[in-house]
Amino acid sequence: MINSMALNSITITKPDDWHVHLRDGEMLKQVAGYTARQFGRAIIMPNLSTPVTTAKMAIAYRDRILHATQDYPEFEPLMTAYLTDGMDPQELVKGHAAGVFTAAKLYPANATTNSSFGVSNVNKIYPILEAMQNQGIPLLVHGEVTSPEIDIFDREAVFIEQIMQPLLKEMPELNVVFEHITTKDAADFVESQSDNIAATITVHHLQINRNDMLVGGIKPHLYCLPVAKRERHRQALRKAATSGSGKFFLGTDTAPHAVGDKESSCGCAGIFSAPHALENYLQVFEEEQAMDQFEAFASLNGPAFYGLPINLQQITLKKISQKVPKMIGQKALAISPYKADETLSWCFEPEPQSNEE
Ligand code: NCD
Ligand code: ZN
């Protein structure tokens, strides 16, 4: 429900983040709280250096996440399986039936960070996709082709044509989330499809275009995959996110990498947006004069697509300015957060009952 003092404060159903990279080990311990602090649930990406391909691995990883988020006991990680050419469909089906796997993630081989075990040719996993269609297991797609001859800025649009459309023709009932869409092509495509096709949109793709990354010096901390596109695509994403369509929902794709791995001659892709994700998303909705659509995008559309209940708790954001730290974390694992050292105009309140004015 939208607070009547909509300009200075907004109270909504607690949001979920439908696309998160939490990593493992010390990095997991360092970053997990940022997601657990703002979100009720999160879809956890399986692209660890050894990908999460079995229910046993997912249970063990979930336990490590729960351990790292002990300060937020209500937080619920939703686990995903990493699809490979050789995966046994039964592993996924059984893992889903047992409540371990919420969904499965398709990375085209070598499309992004830790995707060398990904799918080399979608035709090879048709038996798995058929099983997913039958069981109603959502397929989460990194929608970029990887052929060297396709320009990096065209890889999402070409994916729609070469992979997504033929796939949906074969499997019209498959539930598909087109993850972190970055183009007008993808937004239009998703909007044109039936209700079983949805998309997540990151906050950075709503806020930056490729100029932000490349003009006036290269900004490695704004480099992610899929890479930010032209301004007209950013505008189309803003329109889609704030349109009120139930097909679009929040997925930050928060993807932490240590500063040294970003500021390098071969820098990693990924933006660490978890610490102030909600403040930045809300800023977009405010600028688009669509604050009344924020709750649907952040808290309602995702659960509806996944067939899950909405969160019972509420959260409040207030119009109080705050500065994003320059750096988060320690020594070799220090990370430059999204919008480091910039001032934000909204502030998330972890405890709505706190007496802060
Ligand atoms: C992600 C990562 O670092 O794991 N990077 C990114 O740029 N988004 C992988 C991914 O989602 O593509
Ligand atoms: Zn991702």
Side-chain angles (χ1 to χ4, degrees):
M1 221 199 4
I2 306 303
N3 187 312
S4 56
M5 286 171 58
L7 285 179
N8 296 315
S9 163
I10 177 170
T11 296
I12 58 167
T13 301
K14 190 171 198 178
D16 304 297
D17 187 342
W18 300 97
H19 188 126
V20 172
H21 299 270
L22 287 184
R23 312 302 190 207
D24 211 345
E26 290 307 308
M27 186 62 106
L28 166 66
K29 289 182 199 155
Q30 178 172 284
V31 302
Y34 292 103
T35 292
R37 173 178 163 263
Q38 293 207 325
F39 297 99
R41 292 163 291 198
I43 283 275
I44 309 299
M45 288 295 134
N47 65 329
L48 301 181
S49 44
T50 302
V52 179
T53 51
T54 66
K56 197 172 162 201
M57 292 167 96
I59 290 168
Y61 185 32
R62 184 171 62 190
D63 285 346
R64 298 196 293 281
I65 294 169
L66 290 172
H67 195 254
T69 54
Q70 279 171 355
D71 290 348
Y72 306 94
E74 284 167 346
F75 175 69
E76 188 186 353
L78 304 174
M79 308 310 289
T80 59
Y82 181 114
L83 295 178
T84 62
D85 287 354
M87 183 173 213
D88 174 6
Q90 279 314 305
E91 181 68 25
L92 178 59
V93 169
K94 281 191 199 151
H96 178 257
V100 179
F101 289 129
T102 298
K105 179 73 191 275
L106 169 62
Y107 288 105
N110 303 315
T112 186
T113 309
N114 293 337
S115 64
S116 60
F117 301 93
V119 172
S120 63
N121 182 335
V122 174
N123 295 329
K124 287 197 181 160
I125 60 159
Y126 264 38
I128 303 179
L129 299 175
E130 235 156 22
M132 291 174 71
Q133 178 174 246
N134 291 338
Q135 304 297 319
I137 306 173
L139 175 72
L140 316 185
V141 181
H142 183 109
E144 287 192 290
V145 293
T146 54
S147 336
E149 69 275 13
I150 307 293
D151 188 276
I152 189 167
F153 291 102
D154 297 333
R155 288 180 172 199
E156 185 172 282
V158 173
F159 185 90
I160 298 171
E161 205 178 290
Q162 290 189 353
I163 315 280
M164 196 69 120
Q165 281 176 330
L167 170 67
L168 295 177
K169 220 167 166 192
E170 287 288 323
M171 317 258 170
E173 308 288 319
L174 186 62
N175 293 330
V176 178
V177 183
F178 199 151
E179 297 289 338
H180 42 50
I181 59 168
T182 61
T183 56
K184 180 173 191 315
D185 311 60
D188 290 348
F189 174 76
V190 169
E191 191 54 45
S192 74
Q193 298 296 301
S194 47
D195 285 350
N196 54 318
I197 315 300
T200 52
I201 307 182
T202 75
V203 73
H204 47 277
H205 290 116
L206 295 170
Q207 292 189 314
I208 63 164
N209 62 26
R210 62 195 201 178
N211 278 13
D212 293 302
M213 180 180 59
L214 295 170
V215 173
I218 190 161
K219 316 292 187 316
H221 297 291
L222 296 183
Y223 172 62
C224 66
L225 286 170
V227 72
K229 307 294 192 299
R230 298 177 169 273
E231 176 62 6
R232 77 178 176 88
H233 294 295
R234 186 181 76 100
Q235 290 300 338
L237 298 174
R238 288 169 76 100
K239 222 172 140 203
T242 58
S243 66
S245 163
K247 285 172 158 288
F248 301 102
F249 41 86
L250 187 159
T252 60
D253 194 19
T254 177
H257 291 278
V259 169
D261 293 333
K262 297 282 292 173
E263 298 174 8
S264 149
S265 59
C266 185
C268 292
I271 294 177
F272 181 50
S273 58
H276 300 289
L278 288 176
E279 293 94 322
N280 282 310
Y281 273 114
L282 181 58
Q283 176 81 42
V284 170
F285 278 72
E286 185 186 32
E287 287 162 4
E288 294 294 317
Q289 299 180 352
M291 300 245 301
D292 57 336
Q293 301 296 345
F294 184 55
E295 184 177 43
F297 178 80
S299 318
L300 310 181
N301 297 348
F305 182 85
Y306 277 89
L308 295 169
I310 63 169
N311 293 315
L312 295 174
Q313 307 91 329
Q314 299 213 310
I315 57 115
T316 295
L317 289 129
K318 287 192 173 173
K319 195 119 192 221
I320 300 170
S321 66
Q322 59 169 328
K323 192 143 187 198
V324 179
K326 269 197 179 123
M327 210 65 90
I328 275 170
Q330 298 297 318
K331 297 182 188 142
L333 288 184
I335 314 163
S336 174
Y338 179 55
K339 291 195 179 272
D341 212 26
E342 292 182 35
T343 300
L344 309 180
S345 53
W346 288 93
C347 193
F348 168 76
E349 279 197 349
E351 288 121 2
Q353 70 274 25
S354 80
N355 48 17
E356 187 190 335
E357 269 318 304

